[in-house]
Amino acid sequence: MTAEYLSLIVTNTRLKTGDPARPWATALGLRNGKLAVVGSAAEILKMAGTETIVVDARGQLIELSPGMRIGARMTVTTDADGGVSLHAENG
């Protein structure tokens, strides 16, 4: 996968960004395990490559904590019911 494509995209979410200029988004993208972009699914899906994994959060609320800034290393997990969890890694 080339560097300009996202490695993972989470769509169909209600994403509370904590950014007063754009308090809500519907998708996010990671590149090489780091949060790369937050925005609309239409914007972010344009950054997908053939090997990008796309996860449908099915309307789940995700709130970005202060440690979840652009460039932060993230772990994304899904469960059997389709739930999505994001965790900022320490370090």
Side-chain angles (χ1 to χ4, degrees):
M1 180 181 306
T2 57
E4 63 267 7
Y5 295 115
L6 296 172
S7 47
L8 181 124
I9 295 173
V10 179
T11 63
N12 193 19
T13 181
R14 295 175 298 130
L15 182 66
K16 188 172 181 181
T17 68
D19 178 357
R22 188 175 196 171
W24 294 94
T26 59
L28 61 85
L30 279 71
R31 184 177 292 119
N32 300 321
K34 294 183 179 180
L35 185 60
V37 64
V38 172
S40 72
E43 295 167 323
I44 293 174
L45 286 169
K46 291 177 185 176
M47 299 177 213
T50 57
E51 297 180 26
T52 302
I53 298 167
V54 179
V55 176
D56 182 348
R58 296 191 281 173
Q60 180 177 338
L61 174 66
I62 298 174
E63 186 170 352
L64 295 182
S65 68
M68 294 180 179
R69 65 193 181 288
I70 299 297
R73 181 155 298 281
M74 306 290 293
T75 301
V76 179
T77 57
T78 59
D79 62 30
D81 297 322
V84 177
S85 297
L86 277 78
H87 306 278
E89 294 180 10
N90 295 328

